[in-house]
């Protein structure tokens, strides 16, 4: 409910941080929602700014080292903003996120390594390729 709790529930793969909100300027790549309990399970959101066109795939219980771009073929359809449900968090599952908005375009993979209900989720992650900076439109 507070600003600190929100920042603690977010992650920027682009800037490799979950704490530096001044540098991120609210342009996070994923956000953990929910409480990790049956009636309000944890889920990841990936579209949090108005020009965000990101997608998030759950590729299953696949070791992070084996996750490649090909892993999303046949995986669950990417989460899209229309559903507002996010991707459920599953301990041991790996995910691929394509985060794209008005100033960046990058792919990252991450794996959930620990789920603590009503407290936190731990992930390990790495980028898939080099992030692209998108130049602002010329006026």
């Amino acid at each position: 409910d507070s600003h600190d709790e929100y920042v603690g529930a977010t992650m920027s793969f682009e800037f490799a941080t979950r704490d530096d909100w001044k540098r991120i300027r609210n342009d996070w790549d994923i956000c953990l929602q929910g409480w990790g309990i049956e009636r309000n399970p944890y889920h990841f959101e990936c579209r949090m700014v108005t020009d965000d066109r990101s997608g998030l795939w759950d590729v299953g219980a696949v070791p992070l080292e084996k996750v490649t771009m090909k892993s999303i073929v046949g995986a669950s359809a990417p989460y899209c903003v229309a559903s507002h449900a996010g991707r459920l968090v599953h301990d041991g599952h790996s995910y691929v996120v394509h985060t794209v908005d008005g100033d960046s375009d990058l792919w990252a993979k991450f794996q959930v390594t620990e789920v603590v209900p009503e407290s936190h989720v731990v992930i390990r992650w790495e980028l898939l390729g080099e992030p692209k900076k998108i130049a602002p439109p010329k006026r």
Side-chain angles (χ1 to χ4, degrees):
D1 294 329
S2 74
H3 177 267
D4 289 341
E5 288 172 336
Y6 173 70
V7 170
T10 57
M11 177 66 190
S12 170
F13 299 111
E14 179 181 5
F15 293 101
T17 187
R18 65 170 204 81
D19 296 319
D20 192 352
W21 63 271
K22 288 182 180 180
R23 187 171 74 174
I24 305 306
R25 297 186 357 246
N26 205 37
D27 189 5
W28 303 101
D29 298 326
I30 61 168
C31 181
L32 179 67
Q33 300 286 322
W35 289 99
I37 56 177
E38 187 175 343
R39 70 174 193 272
N40 190 2
Y42 285 136
H43 59 278
F44 294 115
E45 295 282 340
C46 68
R47 291 187 177 178
M48 291 163 294
V49 295
T50 56
D51 70 341
D52 201 328
R53 302 174 306 281
S54 299
L56 180 63
W57 291 260
D58 180 347
V59 298
V62 177
L64 191 64
E65 299 75 25
K66 294 190 179 209
V67 175
T68 66
M69 293 298 291
K70 292 180 182 179
S71 299
I72 63 174
V73 176
S76 57
Y79 157 68
C80 67
V81 74
S83 73
H84 290 289
R87 279 277 172 240
L88 286 176
V89 171
H90 298 286
D91 197 4
H93 275 220
S94 292
Y95 301 80
V96 173
V97 63
H98 180 208
T99 181
V100 59
D101 57 35
D103 67 352
S104 61
D105 182 350
L106 67 97
W107 292 82
K109 62 183 180 177
F110 63 97
Q111 182 177 43
V112 175
T113 61
E114 181 181 14
V115 176
V116 180
E118 299 186 64
S119 179
H120 65 274
V121 169
V122 177
I123 65 170
R124 56 189 201 107
W125 67 276
E126 60 185 67
L127 292 177
L128 285 166
E130 289 295 316
K132 300 174 192 165
K133 288 290 186 184
I134 298 173
K138 295 181 180 177
R139 297 180 189 227

